[in-house]
Amino acid sequence: MKNCLVFLLMIIISLIGLSIGDDKLSTNFYEKSCPLAEHIVQTITWKRVATNSTLPAKFLRMHFHDCFVRGCDASVLLDSTPSNSAEKDAVPNQSLGGFDVIDEIKSHLEKTCPGVVSCADILALVARDSVSFQFRRPLWEVPTGRRDGSISRASEALANIPTPFFNFTTLKQSFANKGLSVQDLVVLSGGHTIGVGHCNFFSNRLYNFTGKGDADPSLNSAYAAFLKTKCQSLSDNTTIVEMDPGSSLSFDNNYFSNLKQNKGLFQSDAALLTDQGSSNIVDELLNSKNFFSEFKQSVEKMGTIEVLTGSSGEIRKRCNVINS
């Protein structure tokens, strides 16, 4: 009788273990339900990046903005409705792009295996695959099994996405709120090695840093003079400038070299040098091998923030609207 009870207990424990496992992200999550899923995502992503080299920066930023609001649940992809202003329409997200690529991938996947692959997983995979195109190999792992959220509020995007005007203390707290460390903060800021910034997010550093018509003294003077030729007034909100001058289409660690020369574009970039611990991490990331290794760890960690798994959330049929 005792042996029977032990055996029964072992079965119960194993079943509980399976149940818990089903609620976690895992590699090859779609191996049986949609074996071609990740291949389809990569194929379409690489095809589109081959003809539009600005997409990696767009998708990496989209992934970041998604994960910082309600976790990595593809809420950033939802459209606004007459009764709700969605994340997509919040100021930090108004310059996002590449939604058409997500839609193309989702459409293909729905034809191949309907109702199986989440938009949240698609976005996480596209971010990885677009940045990895340059190297023709995946730069980090993307465990899958995320499910899609049904709530998207512009107000929450404003409250949770770090702004280019943050100082170090505010940045540190913003990342800590998401379970990310100072190490993650500095490493993920290295994503600014690709992409562009709009003048209105840094021109105060050129023309009115303290409200007295002055420039930010921490900004490299030659770089500031160059930026003034691009952004000629505080009111310019359309002109864009490379975040990593001369290397904005190449994913590398050049961002940190620029930072050490006081050529960080945003106040939030320059802030990384105002804390000794953070500044030490910047020095470590001047080594390219260190940067790629650390970025892999931090972006993988970011991709698991508050994910919906198991029976939570849904699998949207279309990424821009919740299922009816």
Side-chain angles (χ1 to χ4, degrees):
M1 181 69 176
K2 184 178 178 181
N3 287 342
C4 288
L5 287 172
V6 170
F7 181 67
L8 182 61
L9 184 60
M10 288 175 65
I11 291 176
I12 292 171
I13 290 171
S14 68
L15 287 174
I16 290 173
L18 285 172
S19 163
I20 292 172
D22 288 344
D23 285 348
K24 292 181 179 179
L25 301 182
S26 62
T27 54
N28 301 317
F29 180 84
Y30 298 109
E31 189 172 20
K32 293 181 179 179
S33 59
C34 191
L36 291 176
E38 294 192 26
H39 174 72
I40 290 169
V41 173
Q42 186 197 73
T43 300
I44 295 176
T45 301
W46 282 17
K47 177 192 72 174
R48 297 295 291 267
V49 173
T51 60
N52 185 350
S53 56
T54 69
L55 285 174
K58 294 178 188 294
F59 287 131
L60 186 58
R61 183 165 173 251
M62 189 187 294
H63 182 38
F64 173 70
H65 284 204
D66 182 45
C67 291
F68 263 63
V69 186
R70 292 187 168 268
C72 312
D73 67 344
S75 53
V76 74
L77 302 178
L78 289 171
D79 289 340
S80 293
T81 65
S83 60
N84 177 64
S85 180
E87 291 171 35
K88 190 185 286 187
D89 290 324
V91 171
N93 291 331
Q94 287 175 0
S95 56
L96 292 180
F99 296 104
D100 58 317
V101 181
I102 302 285
D103 291 341
E104 179 183 348
I105 293 169
K106 180 60 172 173
S107 176
H108 195 124
L109 286 169
E110 284 299 304
K111 291 174 184 174
T112 307
C113 31
V116 173
V117 183
S118 70
C119 299
D121 275 344
I122 292 171
L123 178 49
L125 288 165
V126 167
R128 190 269 310 273
D129 291 343
S130 60
V131 174
S132 299
F133 173 74
Q134 172 187 337
F135 306 90
R136 302 301 195 277
R137 61 177 177 81
L139 292 186
W140 65 87
E141 297 295 323
V142 179
T144 46
R146 297 167 189 77
R147 288 172 66 85
D148 300 324
S150 58
I151 298 173
S152 181
R153 299 187 181 114
S155 59
E156 293 183 358
L158 289 171
N160 286 279
I161 297 173
T163 82
F165 307 105
F166 275 4
N167 61 27
F168 179 78
T169 302
T170 319
L171 281 171
K172 181 180 177 181
Q173 186 58 58
S174 177
F175 275 66
N177 291 343
K178 304 302 172 184
L180 299 175
S181 65
V182 170
Q183 177 84 12
D184 298 318
L185 159 61
V186 180
V187 171
L188 291 171
S189 294
H192 285 177
T193 187
I194 50 176
V196 296
H198 286 73
C199 287
N200 54 309
F201 289 116
F202 61 85
S203 56
N204 67 307
R205 301 185 72 201
L206 306 175
Y207 298 109
N208 198 32
F209 188 59
T210 65
K212 299 177 181 177
D214 55 341
D216 182 349
S218 72
L219 186 61
N220 180 293
S221 57
Y223 185 45
F226 164 75
L227 291 174
K228 284 183 177 179
T229 67
K230 300 291 185 180
C231 309
Q232 298 182 10
S233 74
L234 279 169
S235 60
D236 184 347
N237 61 2
T238 56
T239 303
I240 55 175
V241 175
E242 292 178 299
M243 290 193 288
D244 186 355
S247 181
S248 66
L249 295 176
S250 177
F251 190 80
D252 52 35
N253 69 329
N254 198 53
Y255 164 85
F256 297 102
S257 299
N258 285 332
L259 203 55
K260 291 293 289 184
Q261 300 171 56
N262 295 314
K263 293 181 180 179
L265 186 62
F266 302 122
Q267 189 174 338
S268 57
D269 294 319
L272 301 182
L273 299 180
T274 64
D275 174 83
Q276 189 58 55
S278 172
S279 184
N280 289 342
I281 297 169
V282 170
D283 289 340
E284 293 170 10
L285 297 173
L286 293 171
N287 178 296
S288 181
K289 186 177 180 180
N290 287 349
F291 169 64
F292 281 100
S293 173
E294 293 298 325
F295 191 87
K296 176 182 185 297
Q297 293 182 51
S298 291
V299 76
E300 285 176 359
K301 186 176 175 182
M302 185 189 79
T304 65
I305 295 174
E306 300 169 26
V307 293
L308 300 173
T309 58
S311 59
S312 300
E314 64 180 11
I315 305 297
R316 287 184 218 142
K317 296 174 184 175
R318 293 168 53 203
C319 290
N320 63 322
V321 292
I322 60 173
N323 296 339
S324 54

